[in-house]
Structure formats: structure tokens, C-alpha cells
Amino acid sequence: MTDLIVRPLRPEDASAWHRLWAAYLDFYDTSVPAETYDITFARLLHGGDPNMGCRLALSGGQAVGLVHFIFHRHCWKPENVCYLQDLYADPAMRGRGVGRALIEAVYAVADSRGTPSVYWLTQDSNETARQLYDRIGQPTPFVKYVRG
Amino acid sequence: MTDLIVRPLRPEDASAWHRLWAAYLDFYDTSVPAETYDITFARLLHGGDPNMGCRLALSGGQAVGLVHFIFHRHCWKPENVCYLQDLYADPAMRGRGVGRALIEAVYAVADSRGTPSVYWLTQDSNETARQLYDRIGQPTPFVKYVRG
Amino acid sequence: MTDLIVRPLRPEDASAWHRLWAAYLDFYDTSVPAETYDITFARLLHGGDPNMGCRLALSGGQAVGLVHFIFHRHCWKPENVCYLQDLYADPAMRGRGVGRALIEAVYAVADSRGTPSVYWLTQDSNETARQLYDRIGQPTPFVKYVRG
Amino acid sequence: MTDLIVRPLRPEDASAWHRLWAAYLDFYDTSVPAETYDITFARLLHGGDPNMGCRLALSGGQAVGLVHFIFHRHCWKPENVCYLQDLYADPAMRGRGVGRALIEAVYAVADSRGTPSVYWLTQDSNETARQLYDRIGQPTPFVKYVRG
């Protein structure tokens, strides 16, 4: 897909970003209040929160995917690590490299900050996503627990 | 275990903390350089890095366990979340509530900061730890991937 | 001035904020590149950078003033302090309480975060501003040096 | 002074650092509680708070001076600035380049982080200090106000 562009989030992307993220949250059967959209948008904007970032994928000038990432401390190493939290590609664009391009964009940002460790979490039953993840990353034996 | 005390890390705990953390890392067949011990110790000290913390468990005045935790952003909510990264109890003390007391101490810190979401990762084969985690937390279907 | 409203910065304030801040910078015979406008705007937005904030003053629905503030560490106390960096009121509105309302809004934010120490810097020859500052704050004998 | 060494703060410097900082605070007719010593020490340690740092000057193996610095946001530029907050040289060592060496060490740290703007505040009546500052930095017309 030669016309795919991946770039940081800008103020004028608000409605496109909102649409894509809502679709992503919907996939996880969840939603967030309007105020959280506003706050997270401000943090993800280019230049916003120093520990957060977003890349938008555009094809033919239309936003077709997004990725959100967060930098945080790690006890085992001096530098931060990068948590790739949200990844979404428009279903109409699946199989055309949007997901891979977005993950590779996060790798590039992480490298440029001197924090090359990138990780993410996925549902073990999400076979579609894992087909991509198994090619671009590595599964680990770690499972997530939350406070009861 | 009535004499168990859980408290923040202090400068004078350096050698006890080093011993316990080394044992923890050894359990994961890993190790970190001396400089990482120094840097992480400084960050975990009471008052150190604003997004990191440690609690030490003491019994009879001896350090018998530790927990490390990290606060970081989350796209889905305005407040931070708390990642409980390292948890260790001296094997000689197992079954006496050290692990539970340390996790509950993290819950209390997280609550006091207005960031009650606490999570952690564990190897799916770690049945001993999961017996405790299934009582004090909840497993999720999420598995971890790392950059390939 | 009973219709004065002071509130956090929102995405839709971009052009009004740009106009006011440019006027402020012009007063100091300076300017910043377009990219700095974008980055600082993202950081100042409600929910943006956790250590920065902005309040806009509006009268009759029109933006008539702004204040920018930054929280940072201080060696002498556990909590952060608040540096009120930029303060501007439309000259047409001078003498109507805009500056005072904006400074008091910063005091309120600082109090709500448990970091009540607020300070700012001003040119010693700026008599107009100092008339207000002498009423709402206190001068100190400290002068600023910069790297040569 | 050929034997002067300037290096980051280490855990074993606790008592020497305490002595020097107490002398500095005493010069300003102030003091801080024991807990603030502990918290600030943890933050200033090499690897502690990511936005704070300390350099100690040693001569003949003895600590003879210190400097504390803080990085924070600035609305006028994308990168942080560096606030050199505390600078102290043992009076017995005055005139031997300790102060200059410490300030230059801060300049070097600031440069290495890509935040070369360094500033500090001093009492306008502090003629001794200003003799040095006028050589290594530049005075500005800015005076400090604090919340009333």
C-alpha cells in the first residue's frame, strides 16, 4: 500500500481520531466518557504529555488506523520502556499493512528516545491480531492479573 | 504473623534490599548490572522517583520481602494506573502472609494517590504465585508480547 | 466586571489563545516558531502535560486574557512549586480585574494540587504590572541570572 | 586547584551532603525538617528523580561543595530548562574555583540532555556571589515575586 502515511496526531484530527478510537473501544465492548476523550486527546497530541504518543495512519488522506503508546519506568533497566496500549486499523483496510506500519512507527519512536523495549498485551483468543503479532513480535508466558 | 511490618524503603536498607531483589531476579534466571541496582535503589527510596515506589516487609527486624511498583499513564482513564512489577518473599517465610501483605500495601498506596487500578503480570506456569493471585486479584485473558 | 469567566484551555480556543499569546510575546519583543505554538498549545490544553496548565479569561464570550503555569520540583520542600510564567490581559480590558482573576485562578489550582507556593518573575522596570503584583503578591530580593 | 573532582551524588555521601546543605540553608537563615533532607536526598541521588540532580565537589577526598538543579517545562520552547537552585562551597575553599566548577558541571549536564538553558536566582545584595555570576553568567532585569 504505497500511499500509506503514518504521522503524529494534530489538533485537526480530533473527529477522525475520535471515530477510530471509539471503534477500537467498541471492539473491547467498552467506552469512555466524553471528558476522557478530551483529556486523552490533549495528552496524545504531538507535544502533549511527555510520556504518551499517538500515530495516525492515513490512506488517500483519510485516517484509517491509530496506535497509542505510553513510556514508563522499569525496575530492571535505567531507561524507560514503551507500552503499546491501543492499536486499531479500519476493518476495510485489514490485510494491507496498516497494523504493521503503526507498530513499526512505535518501534522507531521508541528507538529515537533510547527506550527500545516495546511491549503490548492482547487477549489470548484474538487469533487475527496474534497472526500479525507473531510475525512482528514475540509472545511471552506472562499473563495479566488485576486487583480483585 | 503478628510481627510483620511493611514500610517504605530507606537508605539503610541498601544491603537487605539488594539481597532480596537479587534472589527475586535469580528466580527469573536474570540479573542486572551493579549500576542498575544503584539507579533503581535511588528511584525506589522514599521520596525518589515520583512514579516509583517500594515496600519492604520486615519480621523480627529482618527484611523478608519486597514489592516494587510503578505508576504510569493509561489512555482509557484520566488518572494513572499502578503496575506492580516485582514481588518477592523469602522462601523461609512463604505461607505466612508476606506476599499478601505487600500486595495490600500497594493497594493502599494506589488508593491514597487516587489511582486505584493495580495490575501485574505473572508466568502462566507459576502455580505457586497464582494460588495467591487468584485470591487477592483476578486473572485476565491478556497475554504479553514483546518486540521481536 | 461581573461577566468575567476563567476556565481551562480547550481545543476550540486555538486561534484566540494564539492571538493573545502572540500579543504577550510581542510585549517582550520576542516570538516563537509555529511549531512551538503547536507544542505548547498541546501541553497547556486541559489534560495535556501533567506539569503545565493554562487559564483563559473570557468576557462576553471573548477571550481577553491568559495565564500559563508550570509545576516543578523544589529542593527545599517535598511538594512541587508553581511557576506562573506568562500573564496577559487585553489592553482594552486593563484595570478591570482580568490579571487579578487569572492569578487567583492559578492560586486555586495550586492549592487544589497541594502545592500552594506560587511565584513569578517580572522586569523590575515594569511598573504597571508591579502595581498589581505588589497587591496580590510580594516582591523578593531575588534577581535572575542566565547562563552566559 | 588540580585535585578538584566533581561527580554525582552517591548513597555514601549522605552525611557530607547533609553537612554542606545545612550550611547553605543556614546562610539563607532557613532550615528544613529531617524528612525533607531524606526526601530531597533520595531525589538528588544519581538515578533518583528524573528531573533533579546534584553534583558534589571533592578536594583531597573531602566534600567541599554542592550544587542542586531541577529541570522543568518552559512555555517558550519545546525542551526543558534547567534551574540551578542551590550552590554552596565551603568558605575555607572560597576563591579556588569550586563554585565555577560546579556551575560548569551543571552546564555540561544540561547540554547532555539537550536543555542548554540554565538559570538561577540570587539576592541582589549578594555581592560576593554576583562577582562570580557576572563572569560565568548574565544578570537579567527580572525580579522574583511570591504569592502574598
Side-chain angles (χ1 to χ4, degrees), chain B residues 31-45:
Chain B
S31 63
V32 299
E35 197 204 357
T36 301
Y37 273 102
D38 292 344
I39 288 177
T40 297
F41 185 69
R43 291 174 178 168
L44 293 174
L45 274 184

Side-chain angles (χ1 to χ4, degrees), chain C residues 2-133:
Chain C
T2 53
D3 80 331
L4 194 69
I5 290 171
V6 175
R7 62 156 175 78
L9 193 65
R10 300 177 187 155
E12 62 266 29
D13 299 322
S15 66
W17 170 82
H18 191 293
R19 175 178 50 82
L20 290 169
W21 196 37
Y24 169 82
L25 293 171
D26 194 54
F27 174 80
Y28 281 104
D29 279 327
T30 193
S31 63
V32 299
E35 197 203 358
T36 302
Y37 273 102
D38 293 345
I39 289 177
T40 298
F41 184 69
R43 291 174 178 168
L44 292 175
L45 274 183
H46 178 60
D49 191 299
N51 290 316
M52 297 178 81
C54 172
R55 288 296 179 273
L56 216 57
L58 297 103
S59 177
Q62 288 289 100
V64 296
L66 59 72
V67 66
H68 298 164
F69 46 99
I70 292 166
F71 296 91
H72 68 75
R73 284 284 186 228
H74 192 285
C75 296
W76 299 24
K77 53 186 79 186
E79 73 273 14
N80 282 345
V81 295
C82 177
Y83 169 34
L84 190 161
Q85 184 172 24
D86 300 332
L87 176 71
Y88 185 74
D90 190 319
M93 298 290 289
R94 293 274 163 79
R96 297 172 67 180
V98 175
R100 170 181 285 271
L102 288 166
I103 293 175
E104 288 177 346
V106 176
Y107 287 178
V109 175
D111 285 341
S112 75
R113 291 174 61 130
T115 61
S117 291
V118 179
Y119 74 94
W120 60 96
L121 303 173
T122 200
Q123 286 173 311
D124 58 8
S125 62
N126 190 342
E127 293 177 16
T128 308
R130 295 184 71 166
Q131 283 186 358
L132 170 61
Y133 299 162

Side-chain angles (χ1 to χ4, degrees), chain B residues 35 39 42-43 45-47 49-50, chain D residues 35 39 42-43 46-47 49-50:
Chain B
E35 197 204 357
I39 288 177
R43 291 174 178 168
L45 274 184
H46 179 60
D49 191 300
Chain D
E35 197 203 358
I39 289 177
R43 291 174 178 167
H46 179 60
D49 191 299

Side-chain angles (χ1 to χ4, degrees), chain B residues 23 65 80 86 88 103:
Chain B
N80 282 346
D86 301 332
Y88 185 74
I103 293 175

